[in-house]
Amino acid sequence: MKRKARKSREDECVLCRRAHSDPDDYGQMYREDGLCAHEFCLYPAKGLFQRGTDGEGFYRFLPGDIRRVVKRAARKSCCVCRRKRATVVCQQKRCACKFHFPCGSERGCISQFFGEYRSFCWEHRPEQRVETHQDGDTTCIICMEPVEDRTSYSTMVCPVCKHAWFHRGCIQGQALRAGFSNFRCPQCKDGDRFLTELLRLGIRIPIRRLAWEQEEEEETFEELYETYSRCDASQCLYRGGREQAEEEGPWQLLLCSSCAASGTHRRCSAMGHTTGLWECDGCAGRSTASSTQSELVCPGTSQAALASSQGSPDAGGSSSVLSRRDRRAGHSRFLHRPLNPYSRP
């Protein structure tokens, strides 16, 4: 029982003391060096700043800074659940309310995910002041379920057309999937005033493309996450087969030094242990290939393939190899995009 309790505590967010991991409600879960934290708990935490560089820490929040904030909040009680480690503070002057991010969301508090990342309790939160009225029973334009007869924490209206009503949870889900550049009113399609108003009301709108577009791109580049691991010699001599290799020795797999999209075991291409570079047939045929490299062709290569690799106008492999390398370059740019989803570029 003690081991189970200890394991459950290790899975808890150090800021809110919850182990839930629904990304729509809590964001991504950060786990490193025994530290566990929800993404959405980090941004509004008082005294916690993004001091790291892109790729450092968790969205630039450093582990040491997170631990210091948790230590400072060790005796601060949440005004909702009464448990300790309340790191979110109402920004209204003379208000002493402190709360955990998920507790505040459930109670009607607001945390703004832009600018200074300010938070407000249920008494001081910003509210919509839009002069509008409903004609009869009004439903949410997203889920088609009834909404309240006036604006509130859970019921909102587009400030532009004043006809599109929606639940907070429904429009929040749409914002997370649409991203900053594509988020707009489902009815009038306004983007500027609509986005600004909902940011003020605590809707989280990440800086990213449409979720389904991002999924398609990740699928496109999925094959590039893996290092090429096959021997392409005309006759593979390794008993384990073309898909197997050893870390050292004659059965070490060398990748083409130009395209990295073709490979060979050392012995399968008659290379000694001192040879450090190898080029495939397609790359060795280019004008930039050295004579030494062009001689390192796979045993049993046909004369036609050899002529092709030596620069024949009918060479057929160069374009496919070049496209793979270009795609790798594109993949590299894809991996180095800004990593902070809630800061303006």
Side-chain angles (χ1 to χ4, degrees):
M1 295 296 293
K2 290 184 178 180
R3 289 184 178 178
K4 289 184 178 180
R6 181 179 299 175
K7 184 176 181 180
S8 63
R9 286 195 296 270
E10 290 176 353
D11 292 334
E12 289 181 353
C13 170
V14 294
L15 297 163
C16 71
R17 312 288 294 276
R18 299 192 187 192
H20 303 291
S21 57
D22 186 341
D24 284 1
D25 296 330
Y26 300 90
Q28 299 299 318
M29 181 69 86
Y30 170 69
R31 291 185 178 89
E32 185 176 330
D33 298 331
L35 189 66
C36 185
H38 292 128
E39 177 186 3
F40 295 160
C41 292
L42 295 171
Y43 285 95
K46 184 179 180 181
L48 185 58
F49 304 99
Q50 295 168 299
R51 299 193 307 112
T53 59
D54 281 347
E56 186 178 9
F58 184 56
Y59 291 122
R60 295 168 48 201
F61 290 106
L62 302 180
D65 292 345
I66 298 174
R67 289 188 172 94
R68 279 191 289 273
V69 168
V70 171
K71 186 176 181 180
R72 281 201 301 266
R75 297 184 179 182
K76 297 177 180 178
S77 300
C78 173
C79 61
V80 180
C81 71
R82 303 302 177 184
R83 299 179 72 186
K84 303 296 183 180
R85 297 187 189 178
T87 57
V88 186
V89 178
C90 178
Q91 296 297 306
Q92 183 68 27
K93 291 183 178 180
R94 299 180 182 178
C95 180
C97 279
K98 300 178 181 63
F99 47 90
H100 304 115
F101 170 77
C103 293
S105 298
E106 294 168 359
R107 181 63 176 82
C109 302
I110 279 178
S111 291
Q112 298 173 335
F113 281 71
F114 71 97
E116 299 179 358
Y117 302 98
R118 300 190 303 168
S119 298
F120 300 91
C121 67
W122 58 89
E123 292 183 353
H124 302 120
R125 69 189 179 210
E127 298 180 354
Q128 273 197 296
R129 291 181 172 84
V130 180
E131 295 184 4
T132 183
H133 67 280
Q134 298 179 355
D135 297 327
D137 295 334
T138 303
T139 60
C140 170
I141 196 172
I142 299 175
C143 73
M144 305 306 295
E145 293 294 327
V147 296
E148 298 178 42
D149 58 0
R150 57 187 177 86
T151 59
S152 65
Y153 174 77
S154 58
T155 299
M156 301 178 173
V157 65
C158 174
V160 182
C161 67
K162 302 179 182 179
H163 294 296
W165 291 77
F166 33 81
H167 299 114
R168 170 179 287 270
C170 294
I171 200 65
Q172 177 62 83
Q174 180 170 322
L176 291 174
R177 286 156 183 77
F180 192 87
S181 300
N182 298 281
F183 184 55
R184 59 200 68 220
C185 172
Q187 181 161 314
C188 70
K189 308 305 180 184
D190 179 83
D192 295 335
R193 288 178 58 190
F194 180 77
L195 183 144
T196 301
E197 173 75 349
L198 294 193
L199 278 173
R200 185 182 70 88
L201 296 173
I203 297 299
R204 304 179 295 277
I205 311 172
I207 309 293
R208 68 183 180 202
R209 290 164 299 162
L210 292 166
W212 48 91
E213 288 182 354
Q214 187 168 338
E215 290 173 359
E216 289 178 357
E217 183 173 78
E218 289 176 355
E219 290 176 0
T220 301
F221 289 111
E222 183 177 357
E223 65 181 71
L224 300 177
Y225 281 95
E226 300 180 1
T227 303
Y228 194 82
S229 58
R230 187 179 188 277
C231 175
D232 295 315
S234 59
Q235 182 180 0
C236 180
L237 306 176
Y238 188 38
R239 291 183 178 180
R242 296 181 181 274
E243 307 291 337
Q244 303 297 323
E246 298 179 3
E247 295 183 2
E248 297 178 346
W251 306 118
Q252 180 185 9
L253 187 71
L254 294 182
L255 298 183
C256 175
S257 59
S258 294
C259 69
S262 184
T264 180
H265 295 117
R266 287 184 178 275
R267 179 163 295 179
C268 296
S269 289
M271 288 185 290
H273 68 279
T274 58
T275 304
L277 297 177
W278 169 81
E279 279 191 316
C280 65
D281 292 352
C283 295
R286 299 176 187 170
S287 58
T288 57
S290 65
S291 59
T292 302
Q293 291 170 327
S294 63
E295 291 173 359
L296 295 176
V297 294
C298 301
T301 303
S302 65
Q303 292 297 324
L306 184 59
S308 173
S309 71
Q310 292 175 347
S312 168
D314 297 328
S318 297
S319 59
S320 62
V321 169
L322 185 60
S323 65
R324 282 197 181 188
R325 190 163 66 173
D326 290 344
R327 284 158 57 196
R328 287 183 184 275
H331 179 50
S332 177
R333 291 192 294 271
F334 169 74
L335 289 178
H336 288 84
R337 290 180 304 176
L339 297 176
N340 183 1
Y342 291 98
S343 292
R344 295 180 184 273

